[in-house]
Amino acid sequence: ASKLQATPAWFDLEEVRPIYEQAAVLSEATGQAWEVDHIDPLQNKLIYGLHVAANLTAITRSENREKKNKFTPYRIDAEGNHYKLSGEEWLKIAE
């Protein structure tokens, strides 16, 4: 139900299909279960993410279970560098 509520009217299934396919390919290639994760959780007391391609990524099932609905504040600078908030410090995320 929360996924349905987080799906905007302009949602395009063809945009998210490759992410689900990637998770399936990774599962088969590694023998480990991979799932599609909402980067910004659909339900969290700080944020409500959307069910759209820009908010989805393939991660292992164990990583997804560990993450649950947690949200770590983040930012992206003009050069596309990603940072996450750790305490009061912004740490660059290695890519």
Side-chain angles (χ1 to χ4, degrees):
S2 61
K3 189 184 294 186
L4 187 58
Q5 290 176 327
T7 304
W10 45 265
F11 174 78
D12 183 358
L13 179 62
E14 294 307 312
E15 288 184 18
V16 300
R17 188 179 312 275
I19 303 164
Y20 284 89
E21 290 172 354
Q22 177 189 27
V25 167
L26 288 167
S27 292
E28 187 172 324
T30 65
Q32 186 176 10
W34 285 69
E35 299 178 339
V36 175
D37 172 59
H38 291 89
I39 299 164
D40 293 339
L42 299 183
Q43 293 184 348
N44 179 281
K45 62 182 174 182
L46 298 176
I47 191 168
Y48 287 95
L50 292 177
H51 183 66
V52 295
N55 191 37
L56 299 175
T57 189
I59 64 174
T60 65
R61 176 177 289 159
S62 59
E63 290 172 321
N64 202 12
R65 296 300 181 272
E66 183 179 320
K67 180 184 173 216
K68 299 181 182 177
N69 284 334
K70 295 176 191 165
F71 172 71
T72 301
Y74 67 91
R75 69 180 189 181
I76 303 170
D77 67 17
E79 288 81 39
N81 297 308
H82 291 76
Y83 300 85
K84 69 177 182 177
L85 188 60
S86 179
E88 295 184 17
E89 183 179 359
W90 288 100
L91 303 175
K92 186 174 182 181
I93 300 171
E95 294 183 31

